[in-house]
Each structure stands twice: as C-alpha cells, then as structure tokens.
Amino acid sequence: MDLSQGGFVVRHLGPDPDDVAQMLGELGFDDVAALMAAVVPDAIRDDRLRLPEPSSESETLTELRALAERNTIATAMIGMGYYGTETPSVIRRGVLENPAWYTAYTPYQ
C-alpha cells in the first residue's frame, strides 16, 4: 500500500490545500486566519503564544535525560504497612477478579 496516496499518511495529516479552500469558500472566508478571527472569542484568543521550534529526536532525548538527572531518588513509601497474606481463592475470584466490583458495565455490554 502506498502510504502517500490514500493510505494512513493522507488520512491522518488533515485536509489538503484544496479541501481548505473549498471549506473556506463554503463558509465565506478568504483564509483560515479570517475564519479563526470570526469564530474564536476575543476573551480566549491569545496572540502571545509562541511555541519553540521543533527539535530533533536526539535533541529531545538529550533534554529529557538532563531533566531526569535532576530527579532525586528517595525511599519508596508505597505499600508501607502491607504484609504478605494468603487471599483465599473464593475472595480473589469473587471480589478482586470480578469486574462487577470495579466497573459499571455488565459482562454482556
């Protein structure tokens, strides 16, 4: 399957320029900026949003490693006070493994 012609890439990258032009023509706008100006309320429009330039995978990994190195390794307190016990199979199956206890859906839905 050629992904550039009707496959995954085309289906998931949004409208092409012809589709955008047709949409704008149907709605009566000259460009996307005019459409956004008409439909996005002034109270929530923020023209100050400036996103950084995209970075490469290696740049992103370097930045994430630097952030991870700032983490402090501490003593895990999760599960403190838990003691290993035997849970009878009737309890495990009837309560812990029964979806009726943790979901609102019945098995046939």
Side-chain angles (χ1 to χ4, degrees):
M1 172 190 246
D2 182 7
L3 296 180
S4 63
Q5 299 296 322
F8 179 84
V9 173
V10 174
R11 289 184 292 124
H12 295 279
L13 289 181
D16 62 25
D18 293 335
D19 293 335
V20 173
Q22 181 182 357
M23 174 189 69
L24 292 170
E26 291 286 328
L27 296 173
F29 293 99
D30 295 328
D31 56 17
V32 175
L35 172 63
M36 291 296 105
V39 298
V40 178
D42 290 336
I44 63 170
R45 189 177 304 131
D46 186 357
D47 295 329
R48 296 172 297 166
L49 179 63
R50 298 291 179 251
L51 298 176
E53 290 297 317
S55 58
S56 69
E57 181 178 357
S58 61
E59 292 169 334
T60 302
L61 288 173
T62 301
E63 184 178 349
L64 289 174
R65 283 188 188 103
L67 286 171
E69 288 173 1
R70 293 173 36 195
N71 289 337
T72 303
I73 298 175
T75 303
M77 303 301 273
I78 297 174
M80 300 303 283
Y82 169 81
Y83 299 96
T85 58
E86 276 300 313
T87 304
S89 60
V90 67
I91 299 296
R92 191 174 59 242
R93 175 65 191 121
V95 177
L96 301 178
E97 296 175 0
N98 185 349
W101 290 101
Y102 56 82
T103 181
Y105 299 105
T106 55
Y108 55 85
Q109 286 180 310

Short mmCIF file of all heavy atoms in Angstrom, two decimals, residues 13-73:
data_model
loop_
_atom_site.label_atom_id
_atom_site.label_comp_id
_atom_site.label_asym_id
_atom_site.label_seq_id
_atom_site.Cartn_x
_atom_site.Cartn_y
_atom_site.Cartn_z
N LEU A 13 -3.25 13.35 8.18
CA LEU A 13 -2.49 14.60 8.21
C LEU A 13 -3.38 15.82 8.00
O LEU A 13 -2.89 16.91 7.82
CB LEU A 13 -1.38 14.58 7.15
CG LEU A 13 -0.23 13.64 7.47
CD1 LEU A 13 0.82 13.71 6.40
CD2 LEU A 13 0.39 13.95 8.81
N GLY A 14 -4.66 15.65 8.03
CA GLY A 14 -5.56 16.78 7.89
C GLY A 14 -5.88 17.09 6.45
O GLY A 14 -5.46 16.40 5.52
N PRO A 15 -6.63 18.14 6.25
CA PRO A 15 -7.07 18.49 4.89
C PRO A 15 -5.93 19.03 4.04
O PRO A 15 -5.01 19.68 4.55
CB PRO A 15 -8.12 19.57 5.14
CG PRO A 15 -7.75 20.18 6.45
CD PRO A 15 -7.14 19.06 7.26
N ASP A 16 -6.03 18.78 2.75
CA ASP A 16 -5.02 19.34 1.84
C ASP A 16 -5.46 20.75 1.44
O ASP A 16 -6.56 21.18 1.76
CB ASP A 16 -4.81 18.43 0.62
CG ASP A 16 -6.06 18.26 -0.22
OD1 ASP A 16 -6.93 19.14 -0.20
OD2 ASP A 16 -6.15 17.24 -0.93
N PRO A 17 -4.62 21.50 0.76
CA PRO A 17 -4.96 22.90 0.42
C PRO A 17 -6.26 23.04 -0.37
O PRO A 17 -7.00 24.01 -0.16
CB PRO A 17 -3.76 23.36 -0.42
CG PRO A 17 -2.62 22.52 0.08
CD PRO A 17 -3.23 21.19 0.41
N ASP A 18 -6.58 22.09 -1.24
CA ASP A 18 -7.84 22.16 -1.98
C ASP A 18 -9.04 22.01 -1.05
O ASP A 18 -10.05 22.70 -1.20
CB ASP A 18 -7.88 21.09 -3.07
CG ASP A 18 -6.86 21.33 -4.17
OD1 ASP A 18 -6.46 22.51 -4.35
OD2 ASP A 18 -6.46 20.36 -4.83
N ASP A 19 -8.93 21.09 -0.07
CA ASP A 19 -10.01 20.90 0.90
C ASP A 19 -10.21 22.16 1.73
O ASP A 19 -11.34 22.58 2.01
CB ASP A 19 -9.71 19.73 1.82
CG ASP A 19 -9.73 18.38 1.11
OD1 ASP A 19 -10.41 18.28 0.07
OD2 ASP A 19 -9.08 17.44 1.61
N VAL A 20 -9.12 22.78 2.14
CA VAL A 20 -9.20 24.01 2.94
C VAL A 20 -9.85 25.12 2.12
O VAL A 20 -10.73 25.84 2.62
CB VAL A 20 -7.80 24.44 3.44
CG1 VAL A 20 -7.86 25.80 4.11
CG2 VAL A 20 -7.23 23.40 4.40
N ALA A 21 -9.46 25.26 0.87
CA ALA A 21 -10.04 26.30 0.01
C ALA A 21 -11.53 26.07 -0.17
O ALA A 21 -12.33 27.02 -0.13
CB ALA A 21 -9.32 26.31 -1.34
N GLN A 22 -11.93 24.81 -0.37
CA GLN A 22 -13.35 24.51 -0.53
C GLN A 22 -14.13 24.83 0.75
O GLN A 22 -15.20 25.42 0.71
CB GLN A 22 -13.55 23.04 -0.90
CG GLN A 22 -15.01 22.67 -1.10
CD GLN A 22 -15.19 21.20 -1.43
OE1 GLN A 22 -14.24 20.45 -1.57
NE2 GLN A 22 -16.44 20.80 -1.56
N MET A 23 -13.57 24.45 1.90
CA MET A 23 -14.22 24.73 3.18
C MET A 23 -14.38 26.23 3.38
O MET A 23 -15.46 26.71 3.75
CB MET A 23 -13.40 24.14 4.32
CG MET A 23 -13.90 24.50 5.71
SD MET A 23 -12.79 24.03 7.03
CE MET A 23 -11.41 25.15 6.77
N LEU A 24 -13.30 26.98 3.14
CA LEU A 24 -13.36 28.42 3.33
C LEU A 24 -14.36 29.06 2.37
O LEU A 24 -15.09 29.98 2.75
CB LEU A 24 -11.97 29.04 3.14
CG LEU A 24 -10.95 28.68 4.22
CD1 LEU A 24 -9.57 29.15 3.81
CD2 LEU A 24 -11.36 29.26 5.56
N GLY A 25 -14.42 28.56 1.14
CA GLY A 25 -15.38 29.08 0.17
C GLY A 25 -16.81 28.85 0.62
O GLY A 25 -17.66 29.73 0.50
N GLU A 26 -17.08 27.64 1.13
CA GLU A 26 -18.43 27.31 1.62
C GLU A 26 -18.82 28.21 2.79
O GLU A 26 -19.98 28.59 2.94
CB GLU A 26 -18.50 25.84 2.06
CG GLU A 26 -18.41 24.85 0.94
CD GLU A 26 -19.68 24.79 0.11
OE1 GLU A 26 -20.78 24.99 0.66
OE2 GLU A 26 -19.57 24.54 -1.10
N LEU A 27 -17.85 28.53 3.63
CA LEU A 27 -18.13 29.34 4.82
C LEU A 27 -18.05 30.84 4.56
O LEU A 27 -18.42 31.64 5.41
CB LEU A 27 -17.16 28.95 5.94
CG LEU A 27 -17.29 27.52 6.45
CD1 LEU A 27 -16.17 27.21 7.43
CD2 LEU A 27 -18.66 27.27 7.07
N GLY A 28 -17.50 31.21 3.42
CA GLY A 28 -17.44 32.62 3.07
C GLY A 28 -16.26 33.37 3.62
O GLY A 28 -16.35 34.58 3.89
N PHE A 29 -15.13 32.70 3.80
CA PHE A 29 -13.92 33.35 4.31
C PHE A 29 -12.81 33.25 3.28
O PHE A 29 -12.75 32.30 2.50
CB PHE A 29 -13.47 32.70 5.63
CG PHE A 29 -14.43 32.94 6.76
CD1 PHE A 29 -15.35 31.97 7.13
CD2 PHE A 29 -14.42 34.15 7.44
CE1 PHE A 29 -16.24 32.19 8.16
CE2 PHE A 29 -15.31 34.37 8.48
CZ PHE A 29 -16.22 33.40 8.84
N ASP A 30 -11.91 34.24 3.31
CA ASP A 30 -10.80 34.26 2.36
C ASP A 30 -9.64 33.36 2.79
O ASP A 30 -8.95 32.79 1.95
CB ASP A 30 -10.27 35.68 2.18
CG ASP A 30 -11.32 36.58 1.52
OD1 ASP A 30 -12.10 36.05 0.72
OD2 ASP A 30 -11.33 37.78 1.83
N ASP A 31 -9.40 33.26 4.13
CA ASP A 31 -8.31 32.44 4.61
C ASP A 31 -8.63 31.93 6.01
O ASP A 31 -9.62 32.33 6.62
CB ASP A 31 -6.98 33.21 4.60
CG ASP A 31 -7.04 34.49 5.40
OD1 ASP A 31 -7.96 34.67 6.22
OD2 ASP A 31 -6.14 35.34 5.22
N VAL A 32 -7.79 31.04 6.51
CA VAL A 32 -8.03 30.43 7.82
C VAL A 32 -7.95 31.47 8.93
O VAL A 32 -8.69 31.40 9.91
CB VAL A 32 -7.02 29.28 8.06
CG1 VAL A 32 -7.17 28.71 9.46
CG2 VAL A 32 -7.22 28.17 7.03
N ALA A 33 -7.08 32.45 8.79
CA ALA A 33 -6.96 33.50 9.82
C ALA A 33 -8.27 34.27 9.97
O ALA A 33 -8.69 34.58 11.08
CB ALA A 33 -5.81 34.44 9.47
N ALA A 34 -8.94 34.55 8.85
CA ALA A 34 -10.22 35.25 8.92
C ALA A 34 -11.28 34.37 9.57
O ALA A 34 -12.11 34.86 10.36
CB ALA A 34 -10.67 35.66 7.51
N LEU A 35 -11.26 33.08 9.28
CA LEU A 35 -12.20 32.14 9.92
C LEU A 35 -11.97 32.11 11.41
O LEU A 35 -12.92 32.21 12.20
CB LEU A 35 -12.04 30.74 9.31
CG LEU A 35 -12.80 29.61 10.00
CD1 LEU A 35 -14.30 29.84 9.93
CD2 LEU A 35 -12.42 28.28 9.39
N MET A 36 -10.71 32.00 11.84
CA MET A 36 -10.41 31.95 13.28
C MET A 36 -10.80 33.25 13.97
O MET A 36 -11.32 33.24 15.08
CB MET A 36 -8.92 31.68 13.50
CG MET A 36 -8.48 30.29 13.10
SD MET A 36 -9.25 28.99 14.08
CE MET A 36 -10.43 28.34 12.94
N ALA A 37 -10.57 34.38 13.31
CA ALA A 37 -10.95 35.67 13.89
C ALA A 37 -12.45 35.75 14.10
O ALA A 37 -12.92 36.38 15.05
CB ALA A 37 -10.46 36.80 13.00
N ALA A 38 -13.21 35.10 13.23
CA ALA A 38 -14.67 35.16 13.32
C ALA A 38 -15.23 34.20 14.36
O ALA A 38 -16.26 34.49 14.97
CB ALA A 38 -15.29 34.85 11.96
N VAL A 39 -14.58 33.07 14.60
CA VAL A 39 -15.18 32.05 15.46
C VAL A 39 -14.56 31.95 16.85
O VAL A 39 -15.20 31.46 17.77
CB VAL A 39 -15.16 30.65 14.79
CG1 VAL A 39 -15.97 30.66 13.52
CG2 VAL A 39 -13.76 30.17 14.54
N VAL A 40 -13.33 32.41 17.04
CA VAL A 40 -12.69 32.33 18.35
C VAL A 40 -12.95 33.63 19.09
O VAL A 40 -12.54 34.69 18.64
CB VAL A 40 -11.18 32.06 18.23
CG1 VAL A 40 -10.52 32.03 19.60
CG2 VAL A 40 -10.92 30.75 17.49
N PRO A 41 -13.62 33.56 20.25
CA PRO A 41 -13.93 34.79 21.00
C PRO A 41 -12.66 35.52 21.44
O PRO A 41 -11.64 34.91 21.75
CB PRO A 41 -14.70 34.28 22.22
CG PRO A 41 -15.16 32.91 21.86
CD PRO A 41 -14.17 32.37 20.89
N ASP A 42 -12.74 36.84 21.48
CA ASP A 42 -11.60 37.66 21.90
C ASP A 42 -11.13 37.31 23.30
O ASP A 42 -9.95 37.39 23.60
CB ASP A 42 -11.96 39.15 21.84
CG ASP A 42 -12.12 39.64 20.41
OD1 ASP A 42 -11.54 39.01 19.50
OD2 ASP A 42 -12.83 40.65 20.21
N ALA A 43 -12.07 36.92 24.17
CA ALA A 43 -11.72 36.65 25.56
C ALA A 43 -10.76 35.47 25.71
O ALA A 43 -10.01 35.41 26.68
CB ALA A 43 -12.99 36.37 26.37
N ILE A 44 -10.76 34.55 24.76
CA ILE A 44 -9.87 33.40 24.89
C ILE A 44 -8.74 33.42 23.87
O ILE A 44 -7.86 32.57 23.91
CB ILE A 44 -10.63 32.06 24.79
CG1 ILE A 44 -11.28 31.90 23.42
CG2 ILE A 44 -11.65 31.94 25.89
CD1 ILE A 44 -11.83 30.51 23.17
N ARG A 45 -8.75 34.38 22.97
CA ARG A 45 -7.68 34.46 21.97
C ARG A 45 -6.44 35.05 22.62
O ARG A 45 -6.48 36.05 23.32
CB ARG A 45 -8.13 35.34 20.80
CG ARG A 45 -7.15 35.29 19.63
CD ARG A 45 -7.61 36.08 18.44
NE ARG A 45 -8.92 35.64 18.00
CZ ARG A 45 -9.93 36.48 17.75
NH1 ARG A 45 -9.77 37.77 17.90
NH2 ARG A 45 -11.09 36.02 17.36
N ASP A 46 -5.32 34.40 22.42
CA ASP A 46 -4.06 34.86 23.00
C ASP A 46 -3.00 34.81 21.90
O ASP A 46 -2.48 33.76 21.56
CB ASP A 46 -3.65 33.98 24.17
CG ASP A 46 -2.41 34.51 24.89
OD1 ASP A 46 -1.84 35.52 24.44
OD2 ASP A 46 -2.01 33.91 25.89
N ASP A 47 -2.69 35.97 21.35
CA ASP A 47 -1.73 36.04 20.26
C ASP A 47 -0.29 35.99 20.76
O ASP A 47 0.65 35.98 19.97
CB ASP A 47 -1.94 37.32 19.44
CG ASP A 47 -3.29 37.31 18.74
OD1 ASP A 47 -3.77 36.22 18.39
OD2 ASP A 47 -3.87 38.40 18.54
N ARG A 48 -0.10 35.94 22.09
CA ARG A 48 1.25 35.91 22.65
C ARG A 48 1.85 34.51 22.63
O ARG A 48 3.02 34.34 22.89
CB ARG A 48 1.23 36.41 24.08
CG ARG A 48 0.81 37.87 24.20
CD ARG A 48 0.62 38.24 25.63
NE ARG A 48 -0.46 37.42 26.17
CZ ARG A 48 -0.73 37.29 27.45
NH1 ARG A 48 -0.02 37.92 28.34
NH2 ARG A 48 -1.73 36.53 27.86
N LEU A 49 1.03 33.50 22.37
CA LEU A 49 1.53 32.12 22.38
C LEU A 49 2.55 31.93 21.27
O LEU A 49 2.26 32.05 20.09
CB LEU A 49 0.37 31.14 22.20
CG LEU A 49 0.74 29.66 22.17
CD1 LEU A 49 1.36 29.25 23.51
CD2 LEU A 49 -0.47 28.81 21.87
N ARG A 50 3.76 31.66 21.68
CA ARG A 50 4.84 31.43 20.72
C ARG A 50 5.50 30.11 21.09
O ARG A 50 6.21 30.02 22.09
CB ARG A 50 5.88 32.56 20.76
CG ARG A 50 5.33 33.92 20.39
CD ARG A 50 4.97 33.97 18.89
NE ARG A 50 4.42 35.26 18.55
CZ ARG A 50 3.15 35.45 18.27
NH1 ARG A 50 2.31 34.46 18.28
NH2 ARG A 50 2.72 36.65 17.94
N LEU A 51 5.26 29.11 20.31
CA LEU A 51 5.86 27.81 20.57
C LEU A 51 7.28 27.77 20.06
O LEU A 51 7.60 28.40 19.05
CB LEU A 51 5.03 26.71 19.89
CG LEU A 51 3.59 26.57 20.37
CD1 LEU A 51 2.86 25.53 19.54
CD2 LEU A 51 3.54 26.21 21.84
N PRO A 52 8.13 27.01 20.73
CA PRO A 52 9.51 26.91 20.25
C PRO A 52 9.57 26.11 18.95
O PRO A 52 8.64 25.38 18.62
CB PRO A 52 10.22 26.18 21.38
CG PRO A 52 9.15 25.41 22.07
CD PRO A 52 7.91 26.24 21.95
N GLU A 53 10.66 26.26 18.26
CA GLU A 53 10.86 25.49 17.04
C GLU A 53 10.93 24.01 17.41
O GLU A 53 11.40 23.65 18.49
CB GLU A 53 12.16 25.91 16.35
CG GLU A 53 12.10 27.30 15.75
CD GLU A 53 11.06 27.41 14.65
OE1 GLU A 53 10.97 26.49 13.82
OE2 GLU A 53 10.32 28.40 14.64
N PRO A 54 10.45 23.14 16.54
CA PRO A 54 10.52 21.71 16.86
C PRO A 54 11.97 21.25 16.97
O PRO A 54 12.85 21.81 16.31
CB PRO A 54 9.80 21.04 15.68
CG PRO A 54 9.76 22.05 14.61
CD PRO A 54 9.84 23.40 15.25
N SER A 55 12.20 20.24 17.80
CA SER A 55 13.56 19.72 17.95
C SER A 55 13.62 18.30 17.41
O SER A 55 12.61 17.62 17.28
CB SER A 55 13.98 19.76 19.42
OG SER A 55 13.08 19.01 20.21
N SER A 56 14.82 17.85 17.13
CA SER A 56 15.01 16.50 16.61
C SER A 56 14.85 15.49 17.74
O SER A 56 14.83 15.85 18.93
CB SER A 56 16.39 16.37 15.99
OG SER A 56 17.37 16.43 17.00
N GLU A 57 14.79 14.23 17.37
CA GLU A 57 14.67 13.18 18.37
C GLU A 57 15.87 13.17 19.30
O GLU A 57 15.72 13.06 20.52
CB GLU A 57 14.52 11.82 17.68
CG GLU A 57 14.35 10.67 18.66
CD GLU A 57 14.16 9.34 17.97
OE1 GLU A 57 14.11 9.30 16.73
OE2 GLU A 57 14.08 8.33 18.68
N SER A 58 17.07 13.31 18.76
CA SER A 58 18.27 13.28 19.61
C SER A 58 18.31 14.49 20.54
O SER A 58 18.71 14.37 21.70
CB SER A 58 19.53 13.20 18.76
OG SER A 58 19.64 14.33 17.93
N GLU A 59 17.90 15.66 20.07
CA GLU A 59 17.84 16.85 20.94
C GLU A 59 16.83 16.65 22.06
O GLU A 59 17.08 17.01 23.21
CB GLU A 59 17.48 18.09 20.12
CG GLU A 59 18.54 18.52 19.15
CD GLU A 59 18.06 19.58 18.18
OE1 GLU A 59 16.84 19.67 17.91
OE2 GLU A 59 18.92 20.34 17.70
N THR A 60 15.69 16.08 21.72
CA THR A 60 14.66 15.83 22.72
C THR A 60 15.14 14.84 23.77
O THR A 60 14.94 15.04 24.97
CB THR A 60 13.38 15.31 22.05
OG1 THR A 60 12.94 16.27 21.10
CG2 THR A 60 12.28 15.07 23.07
N LEU A 61 15.80 13.75 23.33
CA LEU A 61 16.32 12.77 24.28
C LEU A 61 17.37 13.38 25.19
O LEU A 61 17.40 13.10 26.40
CB LEU A 61 16.90 11.57 23.52
CG LEU A 61 15.86 10.66 22.86
CD1 LEU A 61 16.55 9.61 22.01
CD2 LEU A 61 14.96 10.02 23.90
N THR A 62 18.22 14.24 24.66
CA THR A 62 19.23 14.91 25.48
C THR A 62 18.57 15.77 26.54
O THR A 62 18.97 15.75 27.72
CB THR A 62 20.16 15.76 24.58
OG1 THR A 62 20.78 14.92 23.63
CG2 THR A 62 21.20 16.50 25.41
N GLU A 63 17.55 16.51 26.15
CA GLU A 63 16.84 17.36 27.10
C GLU A 63 16.13 16.52 28.17
O GLU A 63 16.15 16.85 29.35
CB GLU A 63 15.84 18.24 26.37
CG GLU A 63 15.12 19.22 27.28
CD GLU A 63 14.17 20.14 26.54
OE1 GLU A 63 14.21 20.17 25.29
OE2 GLU A 63 13.39 20.82 27.22
N LEU A 64 15.50 15.43 27.75
CA LEU A 64 14.80 14.57 28.71
C LEU A 64 15.78 13.91 29.68
O LEU A 64 15.49 13.78 30.87
CB LEU A 64 13.98 13.50 27.98
CG LEU A 64 12.75 14.02 27.26
CD1 LEU A 64 12.10 12.92 26.44
CD2 LEU A 64 11.75 14.61 28.24
N ARG A 65 16.96 13.50 29.19
CA ARG A 65 17.98 12.93 30.08
C ARG A 65 18.43 13.95 31.11
O ARG A 65 18.64 13.64 32.28
CB ARG A 65 19.16 12.40 29.28
CG ARG A 65 18.87 11.08 28.60
CD ARG A 65 20.13 10.47 27.97
NE ARG A 65 19.75 9.32 27.18
CZ ARG A 65 19.66 9.30 25.86
NH1 ARG A 65 19.95 10.38 25.16
NH2 ARG A 65 19.29 8.21 25.21
N ALA A 66 18.63 15.19 30.67
CA ALA A 66 19.04 16.25 31.59
C ALA A 66 17.97 16.48 32.66
O ALA A 66 18.29 16.67 33.84
CB ALA A 66 19.32 17.54 30.82
N LEU A 67 16.71 16.46 32.25
CA LEU A 67 15.63 16.60 33.23
C LEU A 67 15.60 15.42 34.20
O LEU A 67 15.40 15.59 35.40
CB LEU A 67 14.28 16.72 32.52
CG LEU A 67 13.98 18.05 31.84
CD1 LEU A 67 12.71 17.95 31.00
CD2 LEU A 67 13.83 19.15 32.87
N ALA A 68 15.78 14.21 33.67
CA ALA A 68 15.75 13.01 34.51
C ALA A 68 16.89 13.02 35.54
O ALA A 68 16.73 12.54 36.66
CB ALA A 68 15.82 11.76 33.64
N GLU A 69 18.04 13.56 35.15
CA GLU A 69 19.17 13.62 36.08
C GLU A 69 18.91 14.55 37.26
O GLU A 69 19.56 14.43 38.30
CB GLU A 69 20.43 14.06 35.33
CG GLU A 69 20.97 12.99 34.41
CD GLU A 69 22.12 13.47 33.53
OE1 GLU A 69 22.52 14.65 33.66
OE2 GLU A 69 22.60 12.68 32.72
N ARG A 70 17.96 15.44 37.12
CA ARG A 70 17.61 16.36 38.22
C ARG A 70 16.74 15.69 39.27
O ARG A 70 16.53 16.23 40.35
CB ARG A 70 16.90 17.59 37.67
CG ARG A 70 17.83 18.45 36.83
CD ARG A 70 17.16 19.60 36.11
NE ARG A 70 16.09 20.24 36.85
CZ ARG A 70 15.19 21.05 36.32
NH1 ARG A 70 15.25 21.34 35.03
NH2 ARG A 70 14.25 21.59 37.04
N ASN A 71 16.18 14.50 38.95
CA ASN A 71 15.32 13.78 39.89
C ASN A 71 16.12 13.33 41.10
O ASN A 71 17.29 12.99 41.01
CB ASN A 71 14.69 12.55 39.23
CG ASN A 71 13.64 12.93 38.22
OD1 ASN A 71 13.07 14.01 38.27
ND2 ASN A 71 13.36 12.03 37.30
N THR A 72 15.47 13.34 42.24
CA THR A 72 16.08 12.85 43.47
C THR A 72 15.53 11.46 43.76
O THR A 72 14.30 11.27 43.82
CB THR A 72 15.72 13.78 44.65
OG1 THR A 72 16.15 15.10 44.33
CG2 THR A 72 16.36 13.31 45.93
N ILE A 73 16.42 10.51 43.93
CA ILE A 73 15.98 9.15 44.25
C ILE A 73 15.74 9.10 45.75
O ILE A 73 16.64 9.38 46.55
CB ILE A 73 17.03 8.12 43.81
CG1 ILE A 73 17.19 8.20 42.30
CG2 ILE A 73 16.62 6.73 44.26
CD1 ILE A 73 18.27 7.31 41.74
#
